[in-house]
Amino acid sequence: MTALTHAHGPSPARGPVRRTERALAPDLARGSMLLLIALANAAVFTFGDQPGAEASPQGWERPFNLVMFVLVHARAYPMFAVMFGYGLVQLARRQEAAGAGPRAARAVLIRRNAWLLAFGAVHAALLNFGDFLGAYGLVGIVFTLFLLHRGERVQRVVLWLWACTTAYAAALAGVAAYHAVRGGPGDAPVPSGDVASLSAPDYATSVADRLGEWPLHTLTVLPFLVIVWLGAWAARRRVLEDPAGHRTLLRRTAVIALGAAFAGGVPIGLVSAGFLHVDQGTADAFLKLYEVSGQFGGPGYVALFGLLALRLSKPRASARRRPVVSALAALGQRSLSGYLFQSLVWVLVLSPYALDLAGRTGSPTLTAALTAVAAWLATVAGAALLQRRGLPGPAERLLRRLTYGPRETR
């Protein structure tokens, strides 16, 4: 037992997840969806605001803006929140199966999430104000302390909360429709918020700006505790470990949740693309609908990848697509490293005080998109190489060392 373990609670009964214990769906989902995260964050860095889109799109940029608001913006990160909650239950289950009691399993989770919060603080200070790691750490600590070992009656509360979210989204859809019908003509832009650190004249100023931006950003995303909880509910039922046994649930969730997420992004997407011209009140209503409906992208995308993993598990499909699937799953197993690498790319390539590549080209939208795809492909290739060598990602190795102590971290 190390000094680190003594200082932070009981010793873990075992180390991190082994390769033989991994299910395809979670890894495939994380590896693939990092592309959408890259597209969203590259756009934010390029345009210096949130959600991040060309204000006066031309030609192909118009349908591209629409696609981004329907499929990507505010729709990709909730999937990682669902997977985070799923992983909390899996980690606790592995510790308890190895002989750890609830208190010891809880201590491992608290330690891991406390370090994740620290990772988030460093990530935000050095690279990206829009860090989510810190929020995951805080949510993980709260969930572990108050919800992890509660009974089934308490766990079902999340379904009622999700029903309330659905009702709220439906109400917002009604408000948006009312504004669309009753609102006057106008040429209001998509409401956005400028981010000071993204337009800072030098790196030192950007760090100072991010130190002020990150705490507020973290507080604004803490409500996704409900999405994390929903992922934990699914993990208790081993939905992704046994997609064949939950095929009907996955199909219904994919169709209904993704349908709601995509439909909720269409109105503001049409405004961003310049296909629809509305007044400011209507644009504000569309933006609110887009934000709330985006939460449905979390369970929707997870269910979609659960079904995809089920299909890929068939021998013929597995043999035909193994190289690509294996590379994406390898990135999913190293998603923390991939996420941090992306932020480094944005700072070096897109920041105005660095290469400022988007500002030097004729189409910032195209530059942002190509940079996102290139960064993601680099992480896919890097993860595949590490997989062949049997090595974890550098960030995963460090987090495991801090969580479990100096034991085997592969």
Side-chain angles (χ1 to χ4, degrees):
M1 184 180 297
T2 66
L4 178 67
T5 301
H6 277 301
H8 291 81
S11 174
R14 50 156 293 175
V17 60
R18 305 181 183 98
R19 291 187 191 179
T20 56
E21 298 172 321
R22 305 195 75 103
L24 175 61
D27 291 335
L28 182 61
R30 282 189 289 258
S32 301
M33 292 296 287
L34 275 174
L35 173 59
L36 300 194
I37 295 295
L39 289 169
N41 284 338
V44 171
F45 267 76
T46 295
F47 296 104
D49 60 28
Q50 291 182 301
E54 172 62 61
S56 301
Q58 303 294 325
W60 68 270
E61 296 173 342
R62 300 175 74 184
F64 182 83
N65 274 15
L66 175 60
V67 169
M68 287 290 287
F69 276 93
V70 172
L71 303 182
V72 179
H73 286 311
R75 276 123 186 87
Y77 82 82
M79 190 226 71
F80 285 87
V82 174
M83 296 310 308
F84 179 72
Y86 204 99
L88 291 176
V89 171
Q90 287 182 310
L91 191 155
R93 182 183 290 145
R94 287 193 298 269
Q95 289 294 321
E96 293 171 7
R103 179 173 175 270
R106 187 162 50 243
V108 174
L109 280 170
I110 293 295
R111 186 160 56 247
R112 186 180 189 277
N113 285 297
W115 281 117
L116 198 60
L117 175 59
F119 273 47
V122 175
H123 175 225
L126 298 181
L127 298 174
N128 190 349
F129 84 99
D131 163 78
F132 278 92
L133 302 180
Y136 285 149
L138 286 175
V139 169
I141 291 171
V142 171
F143 182 87
T144 300
L145 289 175
F146 300 104
L147 294 171
L148 179 64
H149 289 109
R150 301 299 295 271
E152 184 62 26
R153 180 176 299 179
V154 173
Q155 299 301 332
R156 281 199 296 266
V157 170
V158 71
L159 301 181
W160 290 101
L161 292 175
W162 198 249
C164 292
T165 300
T166 302
Y168 182 46
L172 289 175
V175 171
Y178 173 82
H179 277 277
V181 172
R182 298 295 299 272
D187 197 23
V190 174
S192 62
D194 293 334
V195 181
S197 63
L198 298 181
S199 58
D202 54 71
Y203 181 70
T205 302
S206 74
V207 171
D209 288 337
R210 283 192 294 272
L211 288 174
E213 294 163 350
W214 177 66
L216 180 60
H217 176 269
T218 298
L219 290 176
T220 62
V221 298
L222 286 181
F224 70 33
L225 171 62
V226 176
I227 311 177
V228 170
W229 192 359
L230 188 67
W233 178 88
R236 288 173 177 272
R237 284 146 187 82
R238 302 178 184 270
V239 172
L240 296 181
E241 290 93 331
D242 181 23
H246 298 88
R247 193 192 309 264
T248 300
L249 174 63
L250 290 172
R251 283 176 175 170
R252 290 176 179 174
T253 301
V255 171
I256 296 173
L258 287 180
F262 296 165
V266 168
I268 198 66
L270 291 172
V271 173
S272 176
F275 295 134
L276 183 63
H277 302 280
V278 298
D279 59 21
Q280 192 61 57
T282 302
D284 290 339
F286 285 176
L287 185 71
K288 188 65 176 177
L289 173 62
Y290 142 85
E291 292 172 342
V292 173
S293 62
Q295 298 179 68
F296 293 93
Y301 275 125
V302 169
L304 181 64
F305 279 98
L307 292 170
L308 180 59
L310 180 61
R311 185 176 183 84
L312 292 172
S313 66
K314 298 178 180 179
R316 181 180 299 178
S318 178
R320 185 170 61 250
R321 299 167 182 165
R322 185 168 295 139
V324 173
V325 172
S326 296
L328 292 175
L331 178 56
Q333 295 172 23
R334 298 159 181 83
S335 57
L336 177 58
S337 295
Y339 173 62
L340 295 176
F341 175 81
Q342 287 184 9
S343 292
L344 179 62
V345 172
W346 313 148
V347 170
L348 294 177
V349 175
L350 300 176
S351 295
Y353 50 79
L355 292 179
D356 189 23
L357 196 59
R360 300 170 185 267
T361 60
S363 174
T365 299
L366 179 61
T367 301
L370 292 179
T371 302
V373 172
W376 177 74
L377 288 175
T379 59
V380 172
L385 179 61
L386 290 174
Q387 183 79 350
R388 285 197 295 271
R389 296 184 177 182
L391 298 173
E396 284 77 13
R397 176 180 286 275
L398 178 58
L399 182 59
R400 291 172 183 178
R401 171 82 179 211
L402 294 169
T403 300
Y404 298 101
R407 62 172 68 205
E408 177 60 49
T409 57
R410 293 190 182 188

